[in-house]
Amino acid sequence: SAANNVLRPRSLTGYFLDVSITALDTRADGAIHAAVSVVVQDYPGHNIRSMLSGSATASGVSGLSGQRAVVEAALGSALRGLATALH
């Protein structure tokens, strides 16, 4: 209800993003690869508007900080198509 109290008076459209990490692995050469999926839904109905995907691979990184950086890069890759998905 808090979101509706902000959206309605301003005639704004709300969206819900459902993000999943679909792959996160370390390859034989030590590179970390990540893939993500983003489902864009309208709010409050949660009707699917678009599905986006992105991936990234990085060498020379390791551990949790390396995994986090690669997942963030994969998410950035997916979100490049967000503006188009919202129109």
Side-chain angles (χ1 to χ4, degrees), residues 41 48 57 65 72:
Q41 302 169 354
I48 295 175
T57 303
S65 62
E72 288 175 0

Side-chain angles (χ1 to χ4, degrees), residues 6-84:
V6 172
L7 296 173
R8 282 188 185 142
R10 294 176 176 93
S11 298
L12 297 174
T13 302
Y15 296 95
F16 179 80
L17 302 179
D18 185 9
V19 181
S20 299
I21 299 171
T22 58
L24 180 60
D25 36 61
T26 302
R27 296 188 171 170
D29 63 359
I32 298 175
H33 173 78
V36 299
S37 170
V38 179
V39 178
V40 180
Q41 302 169 354
D42 63 12
Y43 181 88
H46 289 263
N47 299 303
I48 295 175
R49 297 280 307 257
S50 184
M51 296 178 70
L52 308 169
S53 61
S55 64
T57 303
S59 299
V61 297
S62 62
L64 290 176
S65 62
Q67 289 177 340
R68 180 181 194 142
V70 176
V71 168
E72 288 175 0
L75 183 56
S77 171
L79 293 180
R80 285 188 196 111
L82 184 60
T84 303

